[in-house]
């Protein structure tokens, strides 16, 4: 018997996501919040956790957190589904609406997990190339979205790894002309761009995906989506009942309760982003792509893998391997860090290019 022979054909050829763990580096590779989570908020979260919370299963409906998200977004709790990170929700959407013989549309380049969850669920990923400024080619998007086998389309705005946004009028044009689902992934919406939440009232085929990861809870894995009740009730059939643990639910509540603190961190990150852009633009041969997110895509005139390796030697980890199309082969992506981290990154990168 070979275990490999027992594996589903579509899983056999996948490569596991096992990021290389670098120790003692400044992490500017995963678009997390670089500011420490406030100790007083940690204290308040743990003050609200009892021994009972450890031995009992979490609230399967996440009622308290949904009530907070409801107040935060202006949407009813019935329209919200919680996830163990928004990654889990991407998979849940595809488990529910995708599958063999069904297509999903993604404008490329974009967040790699859409395709990977597509492959895991047997859904056929259809990539529509973006234009040279990474904007959507709406006619081609529409043509693919209107294919009878298409069930779902994923559009991230701001987009990862490019950092640009899709204007809301384009989202409206796409969602109103198709009979399949459109997921607007707003993972980075706190850093820029316009939310599509107001469109939910008009379009039952729209799903808005959000995460707490980029504003300070990446380690606790909390995401949510907002959609029409028919969509949320179908998704709830395939959802693991206890997918978001008790500590994570309470921590996400605390983030909303203390939004003022996080709002200030977000403002600081956005201001630092502009400083990083200017610093990068001043470097010889570097091309910087405009970003409304908490990271910046840029190309370098020398081998990006070499630049990446030498930065790691200096204790700075950024993101490489963004793909081979669209000129990304010469690109790297840096997440906005603290002021000191950004200064160090700029100084060390500059050394590699002069
Ligand atoms: N969507 C986009 C566009 C992302 O970049 C990421 C994280 N890199 C996610 C979703 C997943 O976020 P999480 O699972 O941490 O909520």
């Amino acid at each position: 018997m070979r275990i490999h022979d027992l594996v589903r054909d579509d899983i056999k050829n996948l490569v596991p996501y096992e990021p290389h763990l670098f120790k003692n580096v400044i992490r500017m590779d995963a678009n997390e919040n670089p500011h420490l989570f406030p100790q007083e908020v940690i204290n308040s979260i743990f003050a609200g956790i009892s021994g009972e919370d450890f031995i009992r299963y979490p609230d399967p409906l996440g009622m308290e957190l949904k009530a907070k998200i409801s107040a935060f977004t202006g949407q009813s709790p019935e329209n919200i589904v919680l996830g163990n990170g928004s990654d889990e929700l991407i998979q849940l959407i595809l488990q529910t609406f995708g599958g063999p013989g069904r297509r999903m549309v993604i404008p490329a380049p974009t967040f790699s997990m859409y395709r990977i969850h597509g492959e895991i669920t047997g859904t056929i990923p259809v990539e529509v190339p973006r234009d040279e400024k990474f904007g959507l080619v709406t006619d081609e998007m529409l043509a693919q979205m209107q294919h009878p086998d298409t069930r779902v389309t994923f559009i991230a705005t701001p987009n990862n790894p490019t950092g640009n946004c899709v204007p809301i009028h384009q989202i409206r044009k796409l969602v109103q002309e198709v009979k399949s689902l459109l997921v607007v992934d707003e993972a980075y919406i706190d850093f820029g761009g316009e939310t599509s939440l107001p469109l939910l009232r008009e379009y039952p085929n729209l799903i808005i995906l959000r995460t707490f990861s980029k504003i300070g809870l990446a380690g606790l894995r909390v995401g949510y989506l907002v959609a029409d009740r028919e969509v949320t009730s179908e998704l709830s059939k395939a959802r693991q009942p206890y997918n978001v643990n008790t500590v994570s639910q309470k921590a996400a509540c605390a983030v909303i309760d203390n939004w003022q603190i996080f709002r200030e961190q977000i403002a600081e990150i956005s201001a630092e982003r502009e400083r990083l852009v200017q610093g990068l633009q001043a470097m010889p041969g570097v091309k910087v792509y405009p970003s409304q997110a908490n990271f910046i895509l840029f190309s370098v005139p020398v081998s990006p893998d070499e630049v990446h390796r030498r930065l790691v030697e200096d204790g700075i980890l950024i993101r490489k391997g963004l793909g081979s199309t669209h000129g990304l082969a010469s690109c790297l992506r840096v997440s906005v860090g603290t002021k000191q981290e950004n200064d160090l990154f700029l100084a060390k990168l500059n050394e590699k290019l002069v």
Side-chain angles (χ1 to χ4, degrees):
M1 183 197 74
R2 284 179 60 219
I3 296 294
H4 189 72
D5 296 335
L6 305 176
V7 179
R8 264 173 44 187
D9 287 337
D10 42 3
I11 303 290
K12 265 184 190 151
N13 298 324
L14 296 184
V15 182
Y17 181 72
E18 285 168 359
H20 190 77
L21 276 183
F22 294 90
K23 291 230 168 77
N24 303 322
V25 288
I26 297 170
R27 301 211 43 177
M28 303 176 84
D29 66 321
N31 305 339
E32 299 142 334
N33 182 347
H35 300 282
L36 280 187
F37 199 86
Q39 190 59 48
E40 68 270 22
V41 183
I42 296 181
N43 294 347
S44 76
I45 295 165
F46 281 95
I49 289 170
S50 64
E52 180 88 5
D53 288 321
F54 277 67
I55 58 167
R56 302 295 171 202
Y57 285 104
D59 172 2
L61 297 177
M63 293 308 285
E64 195 191 341
L65 177 54
K66 276 195 204 168
K68 301 247 185 232
I69 295 172
S70 167
F72 190 70
T73 59
Q75 311 289 321
S76 305
E78 296 77 16
N79 295 90
I80 297 165
V81 179
L82 303 177
N84 187 356
S86 51
D87 250 344
E88 189 200 27
L89 294 171
I90 295 166
Q91 192 172 86
L92 178 65
I93 291 166
L94 289 166
Q95 275 169 340
T96 308
F97 296 102
R102 293 159 172 238
R103 292 167 164 236
M104 59 185 280
V105 177
I106 36 182
T110 191
F111 181 43
S112 57
M113 291 310 291
Y114 304 139
R115 172 180 262 281
I116 293 170
H117 286 305
E119 285 167 353
I120 292 169
T121 56
T123 316
I124 305 159
V126 178
E127 291 191 348
V128 178
R130 291 167 181 259
D131 64 24
E132 70 286 353
K133 288 190 165 157
F134 299 124
L136 297 188
V137 182
T138 38
D139 291 348
E140 185 55 21
M141 285 294 292
L142 265 183
Q144 295 300 338
M145 290 166 78
Q146 284 166 338
H147 187 286
D149 294 338
T150 298
R151 296 296 195 277
V152 55
T153 298
F154 289 88
I155 297 177
T157 177
N159 184 46
N160 178 9
T162 58
N164 64 315
C165 288
V166 176
I168 194 164
H169 69 86
Q170 278 187 5
I171 299 286
R172 180 191 288 278
K173 180 175 161 63
L174 295 175
V175 75
Q176 74 188 0
E177 286 186 32
V178 298
K179 294 189 172 62
S180 54
L181 293 166
L182 172 57
V183 180
V184 177
D185 184 343
E186 298 189 343
Y188 301 99
I189 199 73
D190 296 307
F191 305 99
E194 195 182 355
T195 178
S196 293
L197 274 177
L199 299 182
L200 279 173
R201 245 181 296 120
E202 294 167 68
Y203 305 107
N205 54 335
L206 183 63
I207 300 177
I208 309 292
L209 191 60
R210 297 263 182 100
T211 179
F212 283 86
S213 296
K214 312 300 170 190
I215 45 177
L217 279 191
L220 294 190
R221 315 297 299 123
V222 189
Y224 64 95
L225 63 77
V226 193
D228 188 83
R229 277 175 213 198
E230 221 182 313
V231 173
T232 56
S233 72
E234 295 299 338
L235 289 170
S236 299
K237 296 177 186 171
R239 185 180 64 84
Q240 302 264 356
Y242 304 117
N243 58 338
V244 185
N245 73 70
T246 304
V247 179
S248 297
Q249 289 188 29
K250 288 188 193 278
C253 287
V255 168
I256 295 179
D257 288 344
N258 292 280
W259 189 245
Q260 185 53 33
I261 300 177
F262 295 94
R263 195 207 306 269
E264 281 164 21
Q265 294 186 349
I266 290 163
E268 158 104 27
I269 292 164
S270 304
E272 278 296 300
R273 174 185 67 208
E274 296 318 310
R275 219 171 56 81
L276 262 183
V277 165
Q278 284 167 17
L280 284 165
Q281 273 169 345
M283 290 184 202
V286 170
K287 177 171 180 203
V288 185
Y289 292 88
S291 170
Q292 303 209 61
N294 62 347
F295 56 82
I296 298 162
L297 180 74
F298 63 99
S299 69
V300 285
V302 291
S303 157
D305 283 3
E306 185 62 10
V307 171
H308 179 272
R309 191 186 60 74
R310 291 180 58 203
L311 282 172
V312 170
E313 277 174 8
D314 287 338
I316 300 171
L317 182 62
I318 63 170
R319 183 67 199 266
K320 64 167 183 170
L322 299 165
S324 51
T325 58
H326 292 82
L328 289 187
S330 58
C331 285
L332 293 160
R333 191 195 69 195
V334 63
S335 309
V336 180
T338 61
K339 189 172 183 319
Q340 293 77 358
E341 289 169 346
N342 298 332
D343 284 342
L344 189 67
F345 161 75
L346 287 172
K348 293 294 178 189
L349 179 65
N350 203 37
E351 276 173 26
K352 319 276 174 282
L353 298 178
V354 287

